[in-house]
Amino acid sequence: MSERILEVKGLNGGYGSVQILYDIDLYVDKGEFVTIIGPNGCGKSTLIKTIFGIATHYSGSVVHNGDEVSGWRTDQLVNRGIAYVPQVNNVFPSLTVHENLQMGGNKLPTKLLNERIERALNMFPDLRDRTHDLAASLSGGERQMLAISRALISNPTFLLLDEPTAALSPLYQQQIIERIDSLRSEGITVLIVEQNARLSLARSDRGYILASGKVVHTSDAQHILTDPEIGEYFLGSH
């Protein structure tokens, strides 16, 4: 039987008094790569932020590894092994690549922090020759690699990503998704919000489709990719 990493039931959330999410049910099992897709403004990013304690949780449950964590602070969730990579403002541009990585574990003992940084650079070797460069000098794809690398410094077992390929070249989009998929071999489970639905679903086990703040469909990723009705409305022409 699969080990359930995340289970969301009847989740309602938003920003302050503005409700965005309505009765969301969702789950992620250990080792899965699960993608959330849907039109712009449907609540995809809000869902990830509500799970991670950034947006406002109204009601419903968020259970991680069997424990109710609804409304927990982000630092508490990080200590449980959950990491979140936002879509924008996800690096410190005035710091070097190495300093950005240090910020991901500034409370860790130096030896352990250095080991975690080395592990992250092994996962994203493109950054190894850029460690002394300012993050501001990185390309969009390199910034995204840095943001994910910094999230890995906390040694997460569950990674939440918000549109990691947004505004990247097709080559970097492919590289980023491949790298994220490869994290599963490191024992990391992935829940991703992605605008490039076909690219992410091709690597995914399952997918959820959101519309107007509600889950309107869920199934294995291959079914979503090959169902012509779903494709017409949510994946764009192919």
Side-chain angles (χ1 to χ4, degrees):
M1 184 176 176
S2 298
E3 181 182 339
R4 188 125 311 166
I5 294 293
L6 178 77
E7 185 154 29
V8 173
K9 286 190 175 180
L11 184 65
N12 293 281
Y15 302 100
S17 61
V18 180
Q19 185 167 356
I20 306 292
L21 305 174
Y22 298 88
D23 296 319
I24 299 288
D25 291 342
L26 174 149
Y27 72 89
V28 183
D29 285 338
K30 185 176 182 178
E32 280 195 310
F33 186 128
V34 176
T35 297
I36 302 168
I37 67 169
N40 288 333
C42 71
K44 301 187 300 294
S45 294
T46 305
L47 174 54
I48 292 280
K49 290 175 181 177
T50 304
I51 291 170
F52 196 65
I54 298 172
T56 307
H57 169 264
Y58 298 161
S59 61
S61 63
V62 178
V63 175
H64 175 249
N65 280 343
D67 294 327
E68 171 78 42
V69 296
S70 308
W72 281 31
R73 298 192 316 269
T74 57
D75 62 306
Q76 294 174 308
L77 297 174
V78 169
N79 288 337
R80 286 187 63 90
I82 303 174
Y84 164 71
V85 181
Q87 179 184 352
V88 295
N89 300 324
N90 53 15
V91 299
F92 299 100
S94 62
L95 300 182
T96 66
V97 167
H98 190 262
E99 289 167 341
N100 267 273
L101 293 173
Q102 288 178 314
M103 292 295 288
N106 56 2
K107 294 182 180 180
L108 294 175
T110 301
K111 184 175 183 294
L112 181 58
L113 175 58
N114 289 336
E115 289 173 355
R116 297 269 179 89
I117 289 174
E118 182 63 22
R119 175 174 174 247
L121 292 173
N122 285 337
M123 291 184 188
F124 291 90
D126 308 59
L127 298 176
R128 189 171 289 281
D129 293 334
R130 307 294 307 271
T131 53
H132 299 298
D133 297 339
L134 293 179
S137 71
L138 302 180
S139 68
E142 289 168 336
R143 282 194 187 205
Q144 201 59 254
M145 290 178 185
L146 176 57
I148 297 169
S149 296
R150 194 180 68 221
L152 296 177
I153 301 299
S154 66
N155 203 31
T157 54
F158 185 35
L159 186 60
L160 307 170
L161 299 116
D162 189 358
E163 303 207 11
T165 73
L168 300 185
S169 69
L171 176 61
Y172 264 129
Q173 288 181 354
Q174 191 72 44
Q175 286 184 1
I176 290 292
I177 290 295
E178 286 176 359
R179 300 288 172 80
I180 293 169
D181 188 22
S182 72
L183 295 177
R184 293 200 279 176
S185 67
E186 302 289 330
I188 298 173
T189 301
V190 176
L191 178 62
I192 179 173
V193 164
E194 185 50 65
Q195 196 63 35
N196 192 331
R198 291 186 185 279
L199 180 66
S200 189
L201 286 169
R203 295 271 175 175
S204 299
D205 298 293
R206 295 183 300 106
Y208 287 86
I209 301 176
L210 262 61
S212 302
K214 299 178 180 180
V215 173
V216 295
H217 182 81
T218 180
S219 65
D220 68 84
Q222 194 59 34
H223 173 74
I224 295 175
L225 282 169
T226 56
D227 187 305
E229 188 172 334
I230 292 174
E232 181 181 353
Y233 287 102
F234 294 105
L235 301 181
S237 58
H238 185 58

